[in-house]
Amino acid sequence: MDRLIVRADASTEIGTGHVMRCLALAQRWQDAGGQVTFVMGSISPALQLRLEAEGMSIIHLPPCRLEEDDARQTAE
């Protein structure tokens, strides 16, 4: 099975629910034999520990202001 790339951000203020919903989908992907990588511009320390405990790899993106830059960095 292929690798699933999940692009999501979460800080202590916003985005945690979105990342947790993505995690549920990622767990199903892993259960089916796939590998998962989260690509994130921001993540809380607690969420990072949770994703790592679930066997997810994480790529950290540098902060960017433009959507085009974010899309380019994610694609790279």
Side-chain angles (χ1 to χ4, degrees):
M1 185 168 257
D2 294 323
R3 178 173 299 276
L4 174 66
I5 305 295
V6 178
R7 176 65 179 96
D9 291 323
S11 67
T12 54
E13 291 90 29
I14 192 166
T16 301
H18 177 67
V19 171
M20 294 306 290
R21 288 185 295 277
C22 290
L23 174 58
L25 295 171
Q27 289 168 322
R28 294 288 298 185
W29 188 265
Q30 279 185 327
D31 291 346
Q35 296 178 323
V36 180
T37 298
F38 277 78
V39 178
M40 306 183 84
S42 63
I43 184 172
S44 69
L47 269 179
Q48 179 161 337
L49 288 173
R50 174 68 190 274
L51 293 177
E52 290 170 346
E54 295 290 339
M56 311 290 167
S57 61
I58 302 169
I59 296 174
H60 297 276
L61 294 180
C64 59
R65 294 179 179 234
L66 299 175
E67 287 183 26
E68 295 83 14
D69 291 340
D70 186 90
R72 182 186 46 76
Q73 288 177 352
T74 300
E76 289 174 358

